[in-house]
Amino acid sequence: MILQIILLILGLALLIKGADWLVSGASTLAKKFNISDLTIGLTIVAFGTSAPELIINGIASFQDHQDIVFGNVIGSNNFNLFMILGLSGLIFPLSVKSSTVWKEIPISFLATLIIFFLVNDIFSPGQLILSRSEGILLLALFCGFLFYVYQQLGNAVATNEEPVKNTTNTILGIYIFVGLGGLIAGGQIVVQNAIQLATTLGVSEKVIGLTIIAAGTSLPELATSVMAAYKRNTDIAIGNIIGSNIFNLLLILGTSAVIRPIHYDLRFNTDLYLLMAGTTFLFTAMFLGQKKKLDRWEAGILLIVFLGYTAFLVSKEI
């Protein structure tokens, strides 16, 4: 078991470092083209920090570990929303742009609702499954989201940016590809050892996916948003989380279902309810206290809810 834990930590370290190199290379490249912080947060940083979930889910789907597929995505989204935004908002109250309040947060909620309908027999009675055709639908919706972000490029120009590092495009390309290599290797190590650890401890793959794997793959989001909040760059902090959650639901679950149709365990509905409630709270918080801002007390509520729910989740397995 000790070896499995060591390998799990090693795999997570590879995932985090790979994501770090991927994000650094892609973000620097984007800034050379004068792309705004919010756009970078919603796309490049969100994709880079969601890459661990994508790799792990691709491997888990291919190997038919279906509870890990859903547990990782739903657990990561809850970790992002409650834990990371909670910590970031406690460090510094997060100002939120109007487009995020009225567009990106509702898009995130709508994506969660669509997943809920698809996996709960709403459109395909008698089949608790996310099929390949539904996976293609999610990928099409994801393309629609990317088109929406592309449309925002004309309205969101980079302002008050830090100086762009004088790095050649070749070096940036090496960063990106080496980062992807670290993600793939780390993802394989994490999936294999998390499954072995779950078997050894007698804990379900569902709980392992919702907790250890979800928290581990969300560490890049945690590092990115907390550092962004510390540097008062709230656009990156918020855009990273909302963008990552949309990526996870549409791109990652869509890709996983295309690789192999995924059977759904109804016990995940509780976690989806929590995610929808948290997203609704975040939207409502924009109109409480200081407008269009996640205040410290609101961030504290998110954090307390997450810690309480995680304790409840683990206690059911003991």
Side-chain angles (χ1 to χ4, degrees), residues 78 81-82 105 108-109 112-113 269-285 301-302 305 309:
N78 279 328
L81 183 64
F82 290 92
I105 293 176
S108 180
F109 180 85
T112 309
L113 199 60
N269 276 352
T270 303
D271 307 283
L272 282 176
Y273 293 145
L274 179 67
L275 182 56
M276 287 189 281
T279 307
T280 302
F281 174 80
L282 179 62
F283 180 78
T284 306
I301 290 175
L302 289 173
V305 169
Y309 180 72

Side-chain angles (χ1 to χ4, degrees), residues 23 25-46 97 146 148-164 233 235-236:
V23 169
S27 295
T28 304
L29 194 61
K31 286 187 177 184
K32 284 188 172 185
F33 293 94
N34 203 37
I35 297 175
S36 74
D37 278 346
L38 180 59
T39 303
I40 292 172
L42 281 169
T43 55
I44 296 169
V45 176
K97 289 188 178 296
L146 287 184
Y148 155 74
V149 174
Y150 172 76
Q151 286 185 314
Q152 306 309 304
L153 288 175
N155 303 322
V157 237
T159 56
N160 301 321
E161 302 277 2
E162 295 179 4
V164 180
N233 194 334
D235 281 349
I236 286 283

Side-chain angles (χ1 to χ4, degrees), residues 53-54 56-66 68-70 73 115 118-119 128-140 247-264:
E53 287 93 336
L54 178 61
I56 283 183
N57 266 39
I59 294 169
S61 180
F62 182 76
Q63 297 178 352
D64 202 23
H65 298 291
Q66 304 188 16
I68 287 181
V69 171
F70 279 112
V73 165
I115 296 295
L118 291 177
V119 296
L128 286 173
I129 190 172
L130 190 64
S131 66
R132 279 196 176 93
S133 59
E134 290 168 335
I136 292 171
L137 170 63
L138 293 178
L139 291 178
F247 272 54
N248 289 348
L249 292 166
L250 300 182
L251 173 63
I252 297 177
L253 274 185
T255 302
S256 301
V258 169
I259 292 172
R260 182 192 295 268
I262 318 165
H263 289 279
Y264 181 73

Side-chain angles (χ1 to χ4, degrees), residues 292-305:
K292 297 178 185 174
K293 180 174 285 190
L294 184 68
D295 296 313
R296 282 192 172 95
W297 68 271
E298 294 163 336
I301 290 175
L302 289 173
L303 192 57
I304 290 169
V305 169

Side-chain angles (χ1 to χ4, degrees), residues 180-306:
L180 284 172
L183 284 168
I184 294 168
Q188 183 69 36
I189 293 171
V190 167
V191 170
Q192 292 302 321
N193 287 279
I195 292 165
Q196 291 178 25
L197 189 62
T199 304
T200 303
L201 296 175
V203 177
S204 67
E205 288 186 3
K206 171 182 179 285
V207 172
I208 288 290
L210 284 169
T211 55
I212 296 174
I213 297 180
T217 55
S218 290
L219 290 179
E221 284 96 334
L222 176 62
T224 301
S225 287
V226 166
M227 187 55 66
Y230 179 74
K231 292 180 176 180
R232 309 296 193 261
N233 194 334
T234 57
D235 281 349
I236 286 283
I238 288 280
N240 173 41
I241 295 306
I242 301 302
S244 290
N245 280 11
I246 295 170
F247 272 54
N248 289 348
L249 292 166
L250 300 182
L251 173 63
I252 297 177
L253 274 185
T255 302
S256 301
V258 169
I259 292 172
R260 182 192 295 268
I262 318 165
H263 289 279
Y264 181 73
D265 186 336
L266 283 173
R267 291 178 298 173
F268 282 115
N269 276 352
T270 303
D271 307 283
L272 282 176
Y273 293 145
L274 179 67
L275 182 56
M276 287 189 281
T279 307
T280 302
F281 174 80
L282 179 62
F283 180 78
T284 306
M286 298 300 99
F287 307 97
L288 302 174
Q290 298 186 62
K291 305 299 182 185
K292 297 178 185 174
K293 180 174 285 190
L294 184 68
D295 296 313
R296 282 192 172 95
W297 68 271
E298 294 163 336
I301 290 175
L302 289 173
L303 192 57
I304 290 169
V305 169
F306 177 79

Side-chain angles (χ1 to χ4, degrees), residues 87-154:
L87 282 175
S88 301
L90 284 175
I91 291 170
F92 186 75
L94 303 177
S95 298
V96 183
K97 289 188 178 296
S98 291
S99 64
T100 302
V101 174
W102 294 109
K103 295 178 182 177
E104 283 96 42
I105 293 176
I107 288 172
S108 180
F109 180 85
L110 183 60
T112 309
L113 199 60
I114 289 171
I115 296 295
F116 179 82
F117 285 155
L118 291 177
V119 296
N120 277 278
D121 291 350
I122 306 299
F123 301 123
S124 53
Q127 294 184 348
L128 286 173
I129 190 172
L130 190 64
S131 66
R132 279 196 176 93
S133 59
E134 290 168 335
I136 292 171
L137 170 63
L138 293 178
L139 291 178
L141 292 173
F142 175 71
C143 290
F145 172 69
L146 287 184
F147 180 71
Y148 155 74
V149 174
Y150 172 76
Q151 286 185 314
Q152 306 309 304
L153 288 175

